[in-house]
Amino acid sequence: MKKTLLAVAMLFVLGSCASKKKMMAVQNKANEIQIQLDKARADLNDCDSRTASLNNDLKLKNDDLTAKNSKLKELQDQVDFLKKNNNSLLDRMSDLSVISKEGSESIKKSLEMMNVQGSQIRDLNSSIQRKDSLNMALVLNLKRSLQDVSDEDVQIEVKKGVVYVSLSDKMLFKSGSSQINAQAENVLAKVAKILNDYKEIEILIEGHTDNVPIATDKFSDNWDLSVLRATSVARTLQKKYGVEPVRLIAGGRGEYLPKVANDSPANRSLNRRTEIIITPKLDQFFNLYTPNAGK
């Protein structure tokens, strides 16, 4: 009986040990499965993350592709527009090619005429600039030479593009006379020296009077007096100071071109004057307006 109980107890112990081993094996298997499950879940999460990233990249690529397709369409539209314009220009060039030979010659002659006119205008502007420079030089030299003469007796100015030297009546002549005073010859000598330095100019001498009538054996009226005073100045410049007579023009204005109104003794004194007007040679000046002048 004891042996039997001992055998049963041993079987129970052995069975209990076997159960524990199985439980431990099951537990280990469960742990392995849990680890694999956790790894699978982690892999799944990683896969989801990568899928989301790929989807985002795909969206960006699609957006970029859409933008590029839009740009491509815009460029294609520009190409089509340029092709259309190019065809239009080719059509115009084809139209231009039918211009007749006579029309081409006419255009050529018009262009040549425009070039000639442009050259003439440039020459004219150049001549005007030279004349202005000459006038400035004349004024400066005359004022320097006559700086010791009173402004009441001599006035120098540029009017209407020419130089005016206005000599007072009281300095040049005695009242009612056309004979030049000795003291005036010094002034005329200085003027003549400047005139002789510029051979390319002409000299117009104009006599002027006031409106007080005059009638003598020598002068019928103020016009006579103004003319003879102008010729006296011209002869003095020629004979005493060597100014070439071909450059001299003498004339009288009488009372008909006053500087101021003849309404006072002072104003009448201003109007009694002889003006030396220095001008470019008119034939050379007018040649500028005539094509091929002098050729």
Side-chain angles (χ1 to χ4, degrees):
M1 185 68 178
K2 290 181 179 178
K3 291 180 178 180
T4 301
L5 290 172
L6 181 61
V8 170
M10 290 181 67
L11 288 173
F12 180 78
V13 171
L14 292 171
S16 177
C17 290
S19 295
K20 285 184 179 180
K21 288 181 179 181
K22 288 182 178 180
M23 287 181 64
M24 289 181 64
V26 170
Q27 184 64 41
N28 290 335
K29 188 66 174 177
N31 290 339
E32 289 179 0
I33 293 172
Q34 185 63 44
I35 291 170
Q36 291 178 357
L37 180 61
D38 291 341
K39 184 176 182 301
R41 285 176 178 170
D43 290 342
L44 179 61
N45 289 335
D46 183 59
C47 183
D48 289 341
S49 177
R50 290 173 61 189
T51 300
S53 177
L54 289 172
N55 286 334
N56 185 58
D57 290 343
L58 180 61
K59 183 177 181 303
L60 293 176
K61 296 288 184 183
N62 286 334
D63 292 343
D64 184 57
L65 181 61
T66 301
K68 287 182 177 180
N69 286 334
S70 177
K71 184 65 175 179
L72 180 62
K73 184 178 183 306
E74 181 181 346
L75 292 174
Q76 186 61 49
D77 291 342
Q78 291 180 8
V79 169
D80 294 340
F81 177 76
L82 291 174
K83 284 182 178 179
K84 183 178 179 180
N85 278 359
N86 186 52
N87 291 334
S88 177
L89 289 173
L90 289 174
D91 292 340
R92 292 182 184 179
M93 290 178 65
S94 177
D95 292 339
L96 290 174
S97 66
V98 302
I99 294 177
S100 65
K101 182 178 179 181
E102 291 80 6
S104 299
E105 289 296 324
S106 177
I107 292 174
K108 181 179 178 182
K109 289 180 180 178
S110 297
L111 291 174
E112 289 175 352
M113 185 175 296
M114 289 173 63
N115 288 334
V116 171
Q117 290 175 346
S119 178
Q120 291 173 359
I121 291 172
R122 287 191 296 272
D123 290 343
L124 179 58
N125 286 333
S126 177
S127 297
I128 291 173
Q129 291 175 0
R130 288 198 303 270
K131 183 170 71 69
D132 290 342
S133 298
L134 173 63
N135 286 344
M136 182 177 295
L138 278 168
V139 169
L140 291 175
N141 288 335
L142 285 166
K143 286 188 175 183
R144 187 183 301 114
S145 180
L146 299 171
Q147 61 183 347
D148 58 340
V149 182
S150 169
D151 290 341
E152 294 181 358
D153 292 330
V154 178
Q155 293 182 354
I156 302 168
E157 59 184 333
V158 177
K159 294 189 301 183
K160 301 177 183 178
V162 295
V163 178
Y164 281 70
V165 181
S166 183
L167 307 175
S168 70
D169 168 80
K170 65 179 182 178
M171 180 192 71
L172 287 173
F173 309 101
K174 293 180 180 179
S175 179
S177 171
S178 62
Q179 184 177 354
I180 294 177
N181 293 326
Q183 62 181 14
E185 292 185 357
N186 181 49
V187 173
L188 291 179
K190 293 179 178 180
V191 173
K193 184 178 184 306
I194 303 300
L195 297 178
N196 285 330
D197 288 339
Y198 296 88
K199 302 295 185 182
E200 69 276 17
I201 58 176
E202 291 183 338
I203 304 104
L204 171 61
I205 302 168
E206 286 186 350
H208 297 263
T209 69
D210 58 24
N211 65 344
V212 177
I214 184 173
T216 66
D217 293 339
K218 191 172 182 180
F219 310 115
S220 299
D221 52 24
N222 281 322
W223 220 335
D224 273 356
L225 177 60
S226 66
V227 170
L228 290 176
R229 284 181 168 179
T231 54
S232 291
V233 171
R235 287 192 186 96
T236 300
L237 292 175
Q238 174 200 357
K239 294 181 178 180
K240 286 197 173 185
Y241 305 115
V243 179
E244 295 176 349
V246 71
R247 299 169 57 200
L248 296 169
I249 304 170
R253 291 279 195 170
E255 62 198 69
Y256 302 109
L257 194 63
K259 293 181 72 172
V260 293
N262 285 292
D263 54 5
S264 68
N267 282 353
R268 285 192 290 274
S269 177
L270 289 175
N271 289 330
R272 295 191 300 271
R273 68 201 188 276
T274 299
E275 292 184 336
I276 300 175
I277 304 170
I278 305 170
T279 67
K281 288 187 177 180
L282 295 181
D283 56 346
Q284 295 179 4
F285 187 74
F286 286 121
N287 279 345
L288 296 173
Y289 294 93
T290 306
N292 302 319
K295 294 184 179 179

